[in-house]
Amino acid sequence: AKKLLADSAYTGQFAVLMSQLDRVVFECPSRPPDQRGFVVEAKRWVVERSFAWMNFFRRIIKDYERTIENSVGFILMANIQMVISSLAADGP
């Protein structure tokens, strides 16, 4: 099963739909209900960081593509570029 991390905005109907899938484990990190103010939520930074990194790719943040397949392709290419860049930065 694959784990899907999401923001608290996706806890409604989307979470219900994801719970019906067998191959997906849906996780939405949230702060404890008794805490007030700013609380660092476990794994939320992973989701936020991923969205922030996508802002560096203009082709992704502007909806230029006519099909979903093209959009998915550009997201994959952006992720490949980010991984290669991080590998190059960690180089010998």
Side-chain angles (χ1 to χ4, degrees):
K2 293 186 177 187
K3 184 180 280 190
L4 176 66
L5 294 174
D7 195 64
S8 61
Y10 297 98
T11 56
Q13 184 179 4
F14 183 77
V16 172
L17 290 171
M18 289 297 110
S19 68
Q20 295 172 357
L21 298 176
D22 294 331
R23 300 182 334 189
V24 177
V25 177
F26 181 74
E27 184 178 324
C28 181
S30 61
R31 69 178 178 185
D34 59 341
Q35 280 194 309
R36 295 180 181 251
F38 178 76
V39 177
V40 177
E41 297 175 13
K43 297 187 181 177
R44 179 178 178 147
W45 63 272
V46 175
V47 176
E48 297 296 330
R49 179 189 65 187
S50 299
F51 287 143
W53 284 347
M54 291 295 155
N55 286 330
F56 290 113
F57 299 92
R58 191 183 80 170
R59 188 94 186 232
I60 294 172
I61 60 172
K62 301 288 184 189
D63 195 17
Y64 291 126
E65 309 310 319
R66 292 184 182 178
T67 64
I68 292 176
E69 291 82 11
N70 285 354
S71 294
V72 169
F74 278 104
I75 290 172
L76 289 174
M77 286 192 293
N79 282 313
I80 290 169
Q81 183 177 347
M82 287 187 285
V83 169
I84 290 172
S85 296
S86 69
L87 291 174
D90 293 341

